[in-house]
Amino acid sequence: MMSTTRTPGALTVGPLRPVILKLAAPAVAMMACHFCFNLIDAIWVGRLIGPAALAAVSTAGFYVWVLLSLGEMVEVGLIAVAARRHARGCPMPPPVPPVPRFLYALAAGTVVSLLGWRSRTPCFT
């Protein structure tokens, strides 16, 4: 007979609702924080500067949301690959030193910044 008590870290034993809520809570909190950030920006800019600046802030918020979504897609894909490897019992590859990851993040940030700087006039006029 199988035990239905949940051991620490077990995701496949017992009811799923608490597990799903526990896993979804950080994502929901991040989305709420992003929404509040955009809302507070819109309130301050709309009151202090005017409608044109409010339109720019609102548009920029949308572009930030799109970029965050693209990053989330990569994250979800990598988590799925890691989960499949773990389920098959494959050993994890040796850890990558942090320097190449930092350089990759720096290069990706530079490319996105340059693209944003290059397209600033067409996007916001």
Side-chain angles (χ1 to χ4, degrees), residues 44-112:
W44 278 100
V45 169
R47 286 186 181 186
L48 296 176
I49 301 175
L54 177 59
V57 166
S58 300
T59 304
F62 173 74
Y63 287 117
V64 168
W65 177 76
V66 168
L67 291 173
L68 285 173
S69 298
L70 292 173
E72 294 270 332
M73 287 189 326
V74 172
E75 178 187 1
V76 168
L78 292 174
I79 288 172
V81 169
R84 278 190 242 122
R85 289 182 60 86
H86 180 72
R88 281 186 288 185
C90 295
M92 295 304 289
V96 178
V99 173
R101 289 182 283 186
F102 173 74
L103 292 176
Y104 171 75
L106 187 64
T110 302
V111 168
V112 169

Side-chain angles (χ1 to χ4, degrees), residues 23 30 47 102 121:
L23 290 173
M30 187 270 310
R47 286 186 181 186
F102 173 74
T121 304

Side-chain angles (χ1 to χ4, degrees), residues 14-53:
L16 286 178
R17 184 180 307 265
V19 174
I20 291 172
L21 291 175
K22 185 177 178 181
L23 290 173
V28 171
M30 187 270 310
M31 286 186 231
C33 288
H34 184 68
F35 172 75
C36 288
F37 179 80
N38 285 340
L39 181 65
I40 292 168
D41 266 356
I43 291 170
W44 278 100
V45 169
R47 286 186 181 186
L48 296 176
I49 301 175

